[in-house]
Amino acid sequence: MDELSLLVCGANEPDKYNQIMFNCILPWTLRQATQHYDNKRPHLYSYCRHILLCLLEMDDDEQILINEIEIRKRWNFNGLYITVELSYPNKNREYHALLIENADNNPTDKEPWKRYHKIFDDNYIAPNIKRHYAFLEIIKGTVTNDVSMDNIRVLNLRQLLPYGKLRKTESEIFNEFWLKAQEP
């Protein structure tokens, strides 16, 4: 068996604190995707940018500027509530709202997700905001096909990383959580 990340598993069994760790590391990762970090830690910035744009279901044409990210943890009892402001060279701005829940917390119960989805939609009704929903699996194999719901993407963390050989970044926390824990 592959050595697992100590952030994700202890003694090769799921850690009961994955939800807490997830609610800290994912926001930290997404904040690193803003333009502020592009020259400070370029490898880390590149991965974080890729992860955010993947969650927003966007291809990176390298023209998009990620200006601002606001993250609320456990907002209205939801997982993570994220708002993102993007801009383009033609000065157009685009706004996105993203609701993310950790699938490892309760991988087969659709009812909380339906409630979270409604709360999220009721609070973000502005027509110029694109909404996204993701159900993320941290520990491999915890999501079943029964979880899939309309408009909600079910993903494991590996799917958020670029394809191909992954190289270490300037951050040991990122490397341990995103790279080591997701090795095939």
Side-chain angles (χ1 to χ4, degrees), residues 14-164:
D15 187 331
K16 66 181 180 178
Y17 297 106
N18 275 345
Q19 180 75 23
I20 295 167
M21 186 247 334
F22 172 83
N23 283 339
C24 292
I25 292 181
L26 186 61
W28 173 85
T29 299
L30 298 178
R31 286 184 190 107
Q32 306 291 318
T34 61
Q35 296 307 120
H36 178 73
Y37 296 99
D38 65 344
N39 290 321
K40 291 182 180 184
R41 296 190 269 184
H43 291 73
L44 177 63
Y45 166 76
S46 177
Y47 279 127
C48 294
R49 177 184 173 88
H50 181 86
I51 290 166
L52 176 63
L53 292 175
C54 185
L55 286 167
L56 297 178
E57 303 174 77
M58 299 177 73
D59 293 325
D60 190 356
D61 63 5
E62 298 183 10
Q63 302 262 333
I64 300 169
L65 298 176
I66 301 169
N67 302 319
E68 190 175 330
I69 297 173
E70 180 185 333
I71 299 170
R72 296 180 190 164
K73 298 174 189 175
R74 305 303 300 167
W75 175 78
N76 272 336
F77 303 103
N78 295 330
L80 296 172
Y81 172 70
I82 300 154
T83 55
V84 180
E85 178 190 299
L86 307 175
S87 62
Y88 294 87
N90 63 5
K91 307 283 188 215
N92 285 342
R93 294 201 182 279
E94 196 171 276
Y95 300 92
H96 296 261
L98 174 62
L99 174 62
I100 299 176
E101 183 64 43
N102 176 355
D104 300 316
N105 192 38
N106 197 350
T108 58
D109 189 356
K110 292 182 187 180
E111 292 310 310
W113 253 104
K114 289 178 184 176
R115 188 175 67 252
Y116 300 159
H117 194 284
K118 181 169 178 12
I119 292 168
F120 183 76
D121 286 346
D122 289 348
N123 283 279
Y124 249 94
I125 56 174
N128 64 334
I129 296 176
K130 298 177 183 178
R131 291 179 293 212
H132 310 269
Y133 314 88
F135 201 54
L136 295 182
E137 169 189 58
I138 296 175
I139 303 296
K140 296 174 190 171
T142 58
V143 174
T144 66
N145 290 333
D146 297 335
V147 177
S148 184
M149 293 164 272
D150 292 339
N151 299 323
I152 299 172
R153 293 178 27 213
V154 179
L155 304 164
N156 66 51
L157 295 182
R158 181 84 179 143
Q159 292 173 286
L160 299 177
L161 293 170
Y163 294 111

